[in-house]
Amino acid sequence: MSEFTQNHLSQDQYWMQQAIELARLGQYSTKPNPNVGCVIVKDGQLIGEGYHPKAGQPHAEVFALRQAGEHAKGATAYVTLEPCAHYGRTPPCAEALVKAQVQKVVVACSDPNPLVAGKGVQILQAAGIEVETGLCVETAKTLNLGFLKAMSTGSPYVRLKIASSLDGRTAMASGESKWITGAIARQDVQHWRAISGAVITGIQTVLADDCELNVRELEGVDLTSVVQPKRVVLDRQGQLPLSAKILKNPETVMVMTPFRQELADLGVIQLAPQPLSQLLQTLTQQYQIYDVLVEAGATLSTAFLQQGLVDEMISYVAPTLLGQSARAMFNAEFSTMAEQLRFDLVDVTQLGQDIRLRLLPIQEMI
Ligand SMILES: NC(=O)c1ccc[n+]([C@@H]2O[C@H](COP(=O)([O-])OP(=O)(O)OC[C@H]3O[C@@H](n4cnc5c(N)ncnc54)[C@H](OP(=O)(O)O)[C@@H]3O)[C@@H](O)[C@H]2O)c1
């Protein structure tokens, strides 16, 4: 199942890693709900496992408890996120664990959702169940960066994707940019789209590329199970042509534009022009969008970066030179080193002939 084996980890860590791997199975289909996995273990044996596959369907604990049946009595449950305590579309999982008489619950990550926040653990403890929290918490958090940020701040987790040449160029002067990176890197972008509630772009990218920005191919994944991201076009002058390919599926398109009746007729959601930080809050608070991928040209990418709105930059670098008349990836005019935007490099992966850098902005510098 993973590179983690019982030899390298404690028993508890091993089982929590299994729960984390299970949670990942829902990464393209659960949004806006969080990814959660659960395993139930008795006498060192796995007796139940589950993950949350889709909003409206049972939570991970319910699937695992169903599988364990009456053997759950006296067992230990490992859950990647604090069991829920509220009646939503499904009954509270904390109560299901109590009813099943498990002996112990190990939780990786507390749930900052105000409807849960500590209440799940309280229900378990009040019933005499031993609870341990924080095991493998850093890995478990990576399952739900958007959900966790949105619940605690009201804004989404923002990833900025940029594909550039070795000389930092993202398009030719004419606007032509297909393709800087190779097929494997472009395939990788599909993953980031598929885990996002929205892909944001600028009108100039739509006009230049006539892009759709949807999820079209994910290796080994049935596309019908993927919750497609909303495609959000920022277009303050109302220039989006009705013939744009992005409007082929208008129900998943949002446009930030002065009101246009013809877009309303297509069923497109329109958002009033607003500052980027406010737009992000609107997406989270009104549309339950917790992970955003920005795939835009230098103008919008620079605006997001300069306003300190980027949580992570995903930079694909291709082994090619496009020359000085090609467009730079970052438009800002800096004159001193003190103005630079610096990042922590957290991952480097080679994808075919390209490399992917994952970078976290150092916020104090912004
Ligand atoms: N290599 C890559 O990763 C990559 C990715 C995407 C695109 N591209 C290329 O980038 C080129 C387009 O880049 P671009 O810089 O011209 O356009 P862009 O960044 O895609 O779009 C810029 C437009 O966004 C709108 N916008 C809305 N709110 C904004 C805000 N708060 N701040 C800034 N802009 C805002 C503005 O139009 P209004 O003022 O009219 O609203 C602005 O002109 C194309 O050639 C495309 O192929 C490359």
Side-chain angles (χ1 to χ4, degrees):
M1 192 177 210
S2 73
E3 72 268 29
F4 297 100
T5 68
Q6 291 190 15
N7 297 334
H8 295 113
L9 302 168
S10 73
Q11 289 280 320
D12 277 348
Q13 286 171 324
Y14 171 79
W15 291 118
M16 189 59 86
Q17 289 297 345
Q18 304 299 308
I20 289 170
E21 299 285 321
L22 282 164
R24 268 189 229 292
L25 297 175
Q27 65 181 335
Y28 302 129
S29 55
T30 59
K31 57 182 163 298
N33 283 3
N35 296 301
V36 186
C38 175
V39 298
I40 300 179
V41 178
K42 197 170 182 180
D43 302 326
Q45 299 296 315
L46 178 74
I47 58 168
E49 60 178 13
Y51 70 97
H52 182 42
K54 201 172 170 53
Q57 289 192 11
H59 292 181
E61 298 91 322
V62 174
F63 283 112
L65 285 170
R66 273 185 198 164
Q67 215 179 72
E70 62 191 27
H71 301 293
K73 187 174 176 182
T76 299
Y78 296 83
V79 201
T80 58
L81 188 69
E82 180 178 356
C84 68
H86 60 288
Y87 283 86
R89 284 189 259 192
T90 56
C93 292
E95 284 180 12
L97 289 161
V98 170
K99 209 166 144 200
Q101 298 180 40
V102 300
Q103 187 182 19
K104 182 175 176 184
V105 177
V106 183
V107 175
C109 212
S110 301
D111 189 340
N113 180 347
L115 291 170
V116 182
K119 297 193 192 90
V121 167
Q122 279 165 21
I123 291 174
L124 297 170
Q125 285 173 332
I129 294 173
E130 188 189 337
V131 182
E132 188 187 314
T133 30
L135 183 73
C136 305
V137 61
E138 291 310 319
T139 316
K141 275 185 186 169
T142 64
L143 292 167
N144 293 307
L145 290 172
F147 176 81
L148 294 171
K149 184 179 173 200
M151 288 301 145
S152 50
T153 69
S155 288
Y157 188 84
V158 178
R159 298 179 179 88
L160 169 66
K161 167 253 156 184
I162 293 181
S164 71
S165 60
L166 281 178
D167 49 348
R169 307 285 159 167
T170 51
M172 302 312 288
S174 64
E176 184 190 354
S177 68
K178 287 179 180 163
W179 296 107
I180 297 171
T181 48
I184 299 173
R186 297 204 306 276
Q187 172 71 41
D188 188 66
V189 176
Q190 298 274 310
H191 160 77
W192 301 104
R193 283 185 192 168
I195 63 165
S196 299
V199 177
I200 296 183
T201 194
I203 182 62
Q204 296 306 330
T205 291
V206 177
L207 294 176
D209 299 350
D210 203 11
C211 43
E212 290 185 72
L213 302 174
N214 54 358
V215 180
R216 290 188 288 272
E217 199 192 340
L218 280 171
E219 214 182 317
V221 177
D222 170 12
L223 278 188
T224 59
S225 69
V226 175
V227 178
Q228 287 284 341
K230 295 272 188 284
R231 284 80 49 73
V232 184
V233 182
L234 307 195
D235 178 22
R236 293 172 298 194
Q237 321 297 323
Q239 298 183 74
L240 178 66
L242 295 179
S243 59
K245 278 195 204 145
I246 204 164
L247 290 174
K248 273 203 294 194
N249 294 102
E251 65 287 350
T252 54
V253 177
M254 300 168 93
V255 187
M256 188 181 88
T257 177
F259 181 78
R260 292 173 63 188
Q261 186 57 48
E262 60 272 32
L263 291 180
D265 293 344
L266 288 174
V268 170
I269 295 172
Q270 296 182 69
L271 303 166
Q274 53 198 293
L276 296 178
S277 59
Q278 196 182 324
L279 171 75
L280 293 173
Q281 288 173 17
T282 302
L283 294 178
T284 292
Q285 294 171 23
Q286 290 183 27
Y287 297 96
Q288 290 188 291
I289 288 168
Y290 303 148
D291 288 86
V292 160
L293 183 68
V294 179
E295 284 195 61
T299 309
L300 199 54
S301 300
T302 299
F304 269 95
L305 280 167
Q306 284 201 295
Q307 292 176 38
L309 298 173
V310 175
D311 292 295
E312 178 174 341
M313 183 153 87
I314 302 175
S315 170
Y316 298 89
V317 184
T320 183
L321 297 169
L322 296 181
Q324 66 169 352
S325 64
R327 300 187 191 182
M329 68 195 286
F330 187 59
N331 275 344
E333 287 282 355
F334 289 162
S335 50
T336 64
M337 287 299 280
E339 292 169 282
Q340 67 184 300
L341 299 188
R342 283 198 79 91
F343 298 83
D344 271 332
L345 176 63
V346 293
D347 179 65
V348 182
T349 301
Q350 182 167 348
L351 299 168
Q353 283 288 296
D354 306 313
I355 54 167
R356 182 192 67 199
L357 309 174
R358 293 183 62 189
L359 304 141
L360 305 182
I362 300 173
Q363 296 293 344
E364 305 80 71
M365 305 292 294
I366 291 172

